[in-house]
Amino acid sequence: MCTVNELQALSQRFEVAHMLRNSQTYMDIAETTGASTATISRVNRSLNYGHDGYDMVIARLKENET
C-alpha cells in the first residue's frame, strides 16, 4: 500500500509525536529524527487539534511492548 519512502515518513512522524508527548524540544527532535521543524510543527498541530490518531497508535505500540 505504501512505498518505502512513505513508510519511513510515517515512522518518523510517529517518533516525532512520541517525543512531543514527552515534552522534548523541537531542536532535540530535529536532531534525533532528522525531521524538519515544519514536519514537527505539523505533527504538533495534529496532536493538539486533530482527532487523536497519533495518540491511538502510540498507545497501541505501548501495549505491544509489554
Side-chain angles (χ1 to χ4, degrees), residues 19-40:
M19 293 176 80
L20 284 168
R21 283 295 187 227
N22 288 327
S23 302
Q24 293 186 270
T25 66
Y26 275 36
M27 293 310 298
D28 288 340
I29 295 168
E31 288 176 11
T32 302
T33 65
S36 68
T37 55
T39 296
I40 298 167

Side-chain angles (χ1 to χ4, degrees), residues 4-64:
V4 172
N5 288 340
E6 290 168 335
L7 289 172
Q8 289 172 338
L10 285 170
S11 176
Q12 182 185 62
R13 288 178 184 153
F14 285 119
E15 187 175 1
V16 167
H18 181 71
M19 293 176 80
L20 284 168
R21 283 295 187 227
N22 288 327
S23 302
Q24 293 186 270
T25 66
Y26 275 36
M27 293 310 298
D28 288 340
I29 295 168
E31 288 176 11
T32 302
T33 65
S36 68
T37 55
T39 296
I40 298 167
S41 179
R42 281 192 297 273
V43 171
N44 192 45
R45 192 169 39 250
S46 181
L47 286 171
N48 291 322
Y49 303 107
H51 296 285
D52 301 325
Y54 284 109
D55 290 323
M56 288 190 317
V57 171
I58 291 168
R60 289 179 185 171
L61 290 172
K62 284 183 183 178
E63 288 174 6
N64 289 333

